[in-house]
């Protein structure tokens, strides 16, 4: 069945209101208009449909234009489109991942990591400058407990070899004793010394932080993620005091009867919406973002980043339970006179239920990566073609990660979803495994028949409907990138790539390269090369490394 490339609705261009116009009138007008329009070198056919005029683009021109463009722009295909010509190049600061040292790296941190990485990749691809910040939970009373715990249960060798796991174990152990008055007092003393910059205490804390970051860097590398800056709450002790003074000087800080510090955010200044910023004992609140408590550190961090990076936009990537926190944070910054608060954005995401490893609950990011790798390896080993792969473990990890990312990115980010290993790792259907499989298949096709050369392609050989479907889809890639760049949702790119893979799979069946006449084989090879190139570009934006063997 022939599908037109463009369609014009008659109702949208005639003067009278649509209620006056009967369907048969519209159809008649469509036929009359179609009869008066002439084809040219671009438009090869014009026909009337029910109330529409349909245009078909010259098939050879379509094939030639798309293939040349993909070939010429390579990894920048779609990004160089005129859709982006009026978009100013900007500097963006993106805060994402942000786990707490010595605590669980839960599934929310994983989502923040892959979503933040996608947004950063997309912005960089579109020519923006990006600063990726990991804002660690590296300060607070828990370090008093951790310090005391390490003195009792710590092991220096274990701290060096697996810091994240060891600090977590120590923290769990000391927490059992945390109700004990002596322990409480020791923890308070330890943290007080930290705040007073006692050298010995600080060096213990610094070791916890440095070794944790070293291990995080190694694990993030497996995910294909990097950061330009490892910041943290510890950076903003002194600056938080300056923010407190600014709030007082501007008359924004009010005290309740109990002595708690609040900022009035209500329209009528009647305290109907307040944000608590200070405990009654005068201490700055540590971040407990769930409870609408804005710590001076968050304010200080935002101001500091503006001074340091003078960004055009700052994006925080966290789960949606923190939406109110960020709304209040931006409002207070605006009350303090920082108009750039309007250029701050919170990209929120929903909750994931049911992600467990074979050993139980997810505690460390590495648990998830190891689990996905071993499950994928098992699936690959049970299929008969896997034996020839050079590095099956590496491949299993890349394919498994693609599965995780696609399952996470298929819907709206703000929606909650139920995680399923079986569904994520299926080789058929709309999964990351299917994308990887398609990429590997197209790659081996090129390996088998030598690389395609665009110079001598006879585009008249690409007139079959299945070839045209692939070409039409490739033509739309820039629109999809544009949509994702507007709302920062990866789902547009995901559904585009899944459709591309399905269309390429059909074309692979119906348009064989092997056994075809040389110019037909060459043209088809070129088509499959273009499909693989765009598929790889899109996968990389999502944070997936395309595999060449599977």
């Amino acid at each position: 069945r022939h599908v037109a490339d463009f369609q014009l609705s008659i109702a949208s261009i005639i003067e009278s209101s649509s209620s006056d116009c009967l369907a048969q009138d519209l159809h008649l007008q469509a036929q009359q208009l179609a009869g008066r329009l002439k084809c040219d070198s671009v438009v090869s056919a014009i026909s009337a449909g029910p109330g529409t005029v349909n245009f078909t683009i010259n098939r050879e021109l379509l094939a030639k234009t798309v293939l040349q463009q993909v070939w010429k722009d390579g990894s920048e295909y779609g990004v160089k489109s005129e859709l982006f010509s009026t978009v100013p190049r900007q500097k963006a600061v993106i805060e994402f991942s942000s786990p707490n040292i010595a605590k669980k790296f839960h599934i929310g941190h994983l989502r923040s990591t892959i979503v933040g990485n996608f947004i950063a990749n997309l912005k960089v691809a579109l020519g923006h400058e990006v600063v990726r910040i990991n804002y660690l939970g590296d300060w607070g009373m828990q370090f008093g407990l951790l310090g005391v715990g390490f003195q009792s249960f710590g092991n220096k060798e274990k701290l060096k070899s697996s810091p994240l796991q060891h600090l977590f174990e120590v923290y769990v152990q000391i927490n059992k004793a945390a109700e004990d008055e002596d322990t409480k007092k020791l923890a308070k003393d330890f943290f007080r010394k930290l705040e007073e910059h006692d050298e010995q205490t600080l060096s213990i804390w610094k070791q916890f932080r440095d070794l944790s970051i070293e291990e995080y860097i190694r694990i993030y590398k497996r995910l294909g993620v990097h950061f330009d800056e490892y910041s943290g709450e510890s950076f903003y002790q002194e600056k938080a005091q300056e923010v407190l003074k600014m709030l007082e000087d501007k008359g924004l800080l009010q005290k309740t009867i109990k002595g708690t510090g609040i900022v009035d955010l209500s329209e009528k200044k009647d305290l109907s919406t307040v944000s608590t910023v200070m405990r009654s004992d005068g201490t700055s609140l540590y971040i407990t973002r769930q409870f609408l408590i804005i710590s001076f550190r968050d304010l200080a961090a935002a101001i500091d980043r503006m001074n340091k990076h003078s960004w055009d936009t700052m994006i925080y990537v966290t789960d949606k339970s923190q939406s109110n926190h960020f709304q209040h944070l931006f409002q207070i910054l605006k009350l303090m006179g920082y108009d750039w608060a309007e250029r701050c954005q919170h990209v929120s995401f929903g909750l994931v239920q049911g992600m467990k490893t074979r050993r139980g609950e997810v505690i460390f990011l590495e648990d998830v990566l190891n689990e996905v790798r071993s499950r994928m390896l098992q699936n690959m080993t049970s299929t008969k073609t896997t034996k020839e792969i050079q590095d099956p473990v590496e491949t299993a990890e890349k394919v498994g990660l693609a599965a995780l990312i696609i399952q996470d990115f298929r819907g709206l980010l703000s929606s909650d979803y139920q995680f399923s290993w079986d569904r994520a790792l299926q080789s058929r259907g709309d999964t990351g495994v299917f994308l990887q499989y398609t990429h590997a298949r197209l790659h081996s096709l090129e390996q088998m028949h030598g690389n395609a050369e665009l110079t001598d392609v006879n585009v008249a050989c690409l007139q079959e409907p299945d070839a045209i479907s692939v070409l039409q889809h490739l033509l739309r890639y820039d629109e999809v990138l544009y949509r994702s760049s507007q709302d920062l949702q990866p789902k547009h790119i995901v559904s585009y790539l899944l459709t591309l893979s399905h269309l390429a799979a059909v074309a692979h069946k119906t348009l064989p390269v092997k056994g075809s006449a040389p110019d037909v084989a060459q043209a088809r090879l070129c088509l499959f090369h273009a499909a693989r190139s765009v598929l790889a570009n899109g996968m990389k934006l999502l944070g997936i490394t395309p595999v060449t063997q599977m």
Side-chain angles (χ1 to χ4, degrees):
R1 194 175 71 79
H2 167 73
V3 182
D5 299 301
F6 297 98
Q7 199 171 56
L8 173 71
S9 156
I10 292 291
S12 68
I13 55 165
I14 55 172
E15 302 278 313
S16 61
S17 65
S18 54
S19 54
D20 309 344
C21 259
L22 294 166
Q24 61 221 52
D25 291 346
L26 287 177
H27 191 51
L28 190 66
Q29 284 183 312
Q31 282 174 322
Q32 285 170 345
L33 181 58
R36 286 164 61 193
L37 294 171
K38 300 271 180 287
C39 294
D40 59 12
S41 60
V42 177
V43 177
S44 62
I46 301 170
S47 63
T52 60
V53 178
N54 303 325
F55 301 89
T56 303
I57 298 300
N58 174 328
R59 292 297 174 229
E60 291 187 21
L61 184 72
L62 174 74
K64 194 175 163 186
T65 311
V66 171
L67 294 179
Q68 271 179 350
Q69 205 65 50
V70 175
W71 207 269
K72 187 168 121 267
D73 293 346
S75 63
E76 292 185 322
Y77 176 70
V79 172
K80 285 187 158 181
S81 156
E82 65 260 29
L83 280 178
F84 296 106
S85 60
T86 57
V87 177
R89 301 283 173 265
Q90 292 188 323
K91 183 171 189 178
V93 166
I94 306 174
E95 181 200 294
F96 62 106
S97 196
S98 309
N100 297 305
I101 290 176
K103 291 189 179 176
K104 280 192 293 214
F105 189 105
H106 57 74
I107 190 68
H109 292 123
L110 176 62
R111 273 203 103 173
S112 173
T113 307
I114 59 178
V115 172
N117 188 49
F118 157 70
I119 294 171
N121 290 346
L122 183 62
K123 294 239 175 232
V124 168
L126 295 172
H128 303 294
E129 190 187 339
V130 170
V131 181
R132 303 163 187 243
I133 295 182
N134 199 336
Y135 186 67
L136 300 171
D138 63 356
W139 201 250
M141 206 45 223
Q142 82 243 37
F143 282 90
L145 272 175
L146 196 60
V148 174
F150 196 75
Q151 286 159 0
S152 315
F153 314 113
N155 174 316
K156 282 186 174 157
E157 291 311 305
K158 279 186 181 171
L159 180 66
K160 280 206 168 70
S161 62
S162 49
L164 299 178
Q165 192 172 348
H166 186 54
L167 289 175
F168 177 74
E169 284 164 0
V170 168
Y171 191 62
V172 168
Q173 271 181 295
I174 191 68
N175 253 324
K176 289 175 187 160
E179 290 311 303
D180 169 58
E181 288 305 317
D182 288 348
T183 309
K184 270 187 191 163
K185 187 180 171 313
L186 286 169
K188 263 194 171 146
D189 288 348
F190 189 94
F191 187 56
R192 198 195 66 247
K193 283 184 187 168
L194 255 190
E195 292 205 293
E196 289 166 359
H197 298 283
D198 171 69
E199 265 183 43
Q200 197 188 349
T201 318
L202 262 181
S203 83
I204 296 172
W205 168 84
K206 195 173 171 338
Q207 202 181 9
F208 291 166
R209 189 182 192 277
D210 293 350
L211 290 169
S212 294
I213 289 176
E214 249 173 64
E215 192 170 6
Y216 273 131
I217 290 173
R218 180 181 64 77
I219 299 165
Y220 284 132
K221 202 171 175 181
R222 280 178 68 180
L223 259 179
V225 171
H226 72 276
F227 291 91
D228 301 303
E229 213 175 282
Y230 280 85
S231 171
E233 298 173 23
S234 61
F235 282 53
Y236 298 105
Q237 271 169 279
E238 280 80 18
K239 290 197 171 91
Q241 294 309 308
E242 292 166 27
V243 170
L244 168 61
K245 194 169 171 341
M246 282 169 78
L247 285 170
E248 284 178 336
D249 292 349
K250 287 185 186 287
L252 293 168
L253 191 68
Q254 303 181 27
K255 290 275 175 82
T256 62
I257 303 159
K258 291 181 183 158
T260 311
I262 57 169
V263 176
D264 185 3
L265 298 176
S266 58
E267 291 279 313
K268 297 178 182 156
K269 298 288 164 226
D270 57 2
L271 296 180
S272 55
T273 316
V274 299
S275 187
T276 310
V277 289
M278 195 166 81
R279 287 200 193 94
S280 50
D281 61 5
T283 55
S284 164
L285 290 157
Y286 292 109
I287 281 193
T288 39
R289 282 181 167 166
Q290 295 83 311
F291 303 116
L292 282 199
I293 292 171
I294 305 294
S295 91
F296 299 136
R297 297 192 174 161
D298 276 12
L299 294 163
I303 297 164
D304 180 56
R305 287 172 195 169
M306 189 49 163
N307 294 339
K308 189 173 166 186
H309 298 293
S310 48
W311 44 262
D312 298 294
T313 174
M314 177 154 65
I315 298 170
Y316 296 86
V317 185
T318 72
D319 72 71
K320 61 186 178 187
S321 71
Q322 298 183 20
S323 294
N324 280 345
H325 167 85
F326 285 105
Q327 225 175 324
H328 281 205
L329 178 69
F330 304 157
Q331 277 176 291
I332 293 175
L333 285 165
K334 202 154 166 29
L335 285 176
M336 290 171 78
Y338 295 116
D339 288 341
W340 47 254
E342 290 174 354
R343 291 184 271 132
C344 293
Q345 190 182 355
H346 177 218
V347 173
S348 62
F349 51 81
L351 306 173
V352 182
Q353 272 97 23
M355 185 188 253
K356 285 192 163 46
T357 66
R358 289 194 178 96
R359 287 162 55 190
E361 189 196 5
V362 172
I363 295 176
F364 306 107
L365 174 56
E366 197 143 32
D367 295 342
V368 181
L369 300 182
N370 294 341
E371 181 82 8
V372 73
R373 183 172 66 188
S374 73
R375 280 178 186 258
M376 198 59 228
L377 202 55
Q378 205 176 353
N379 289 5
M380 281 162 51
T381 321
S382 61
T383 56
K384 52 187 181 298
T385 50
T386 308
K387 296 180 184 60
E388 307 117 43
I389 290 186
Q390 281 154 2
D391 193 346
V393 178
E394 182 82 0
T395 303
E397 177 139 319
K398 286 173 182 161
V399 176
L401 273 176
L404 267 188
I405 289 170
I406 294 300
Q407 169 145 298
D408 199 275
F409 285 0
R410 275 187 62 191
L412 263 176
L413 290 179
S414 57
S415 49
D416 306 338
Y417 74 92
Q418 190 68 35
F419 181 84
S420 149
W421 285 109
D422 293 339
R423 198 173 64 237
L425 298 173
Q426 275 170 357
S427 56
R428 303 205 179 287
D430 290 342
T431 64
V433 182
F434 173 59
L435 290 186
Q436 288 283 31
Y437 175 68
T438 306
H439 185 272
R441 247 177 112 184
L442 294 174
H443 183 268
S444 68
L445 188 72
E446 288 179 56
Q447 296 297 94
M448 214 173 355
H449 298 283
N451 287 337
E453 283 302 328
L454 189 66
T455 41
D456 49 358
V457 164
N458 178 3
V459 287
C461 301
L462 291 176
Q463 299 311 300
E464 299 86 352
D466 292 338
I468 299 296
S469 295
V470 173
L471 291 163
Q472 283 174 323
H473 196 62
L474 292 175
L475 191 59
R476 284 190 46 241
Y477 184 55
D478 60 345
E479 294 170 30
V480 174
L481 290 183
Y482 186 74
R483 279 187 73 184
S484 278
S485 75
Q486 292 302 100
D487 64 7
L488 302 181
Q489 294 285 338
K491 72 181 185 113
H492 313 303
I493 296 173
V494 170
S495 78
Y496 175 89
L497 296 178
L498 288 165
T499 304
L500 177 60
S501 296
H502 286 297
L503 293 172
V506 171
H508 188 267
K509 270 202 193 83
T510 61
L511 309 172
V513 174
K514 196 178 174 183
S516 300
D519 56 343
V520 173
Q522 189 62 14
R524 287 176 180 174
L525 208 50
C526 241
L527 177 74
F528 290 125
H529 168 80
R532 185 187 68 76
S533 171
V534 175
L535 180 59
N537 292 349
M539 286 164 81
K540 287 173 192 162
L541 283 183
L542 297 173
I544 297 170
T545 308
V547 300
T548 52
Q549 292 179 304
M550 215 168 131

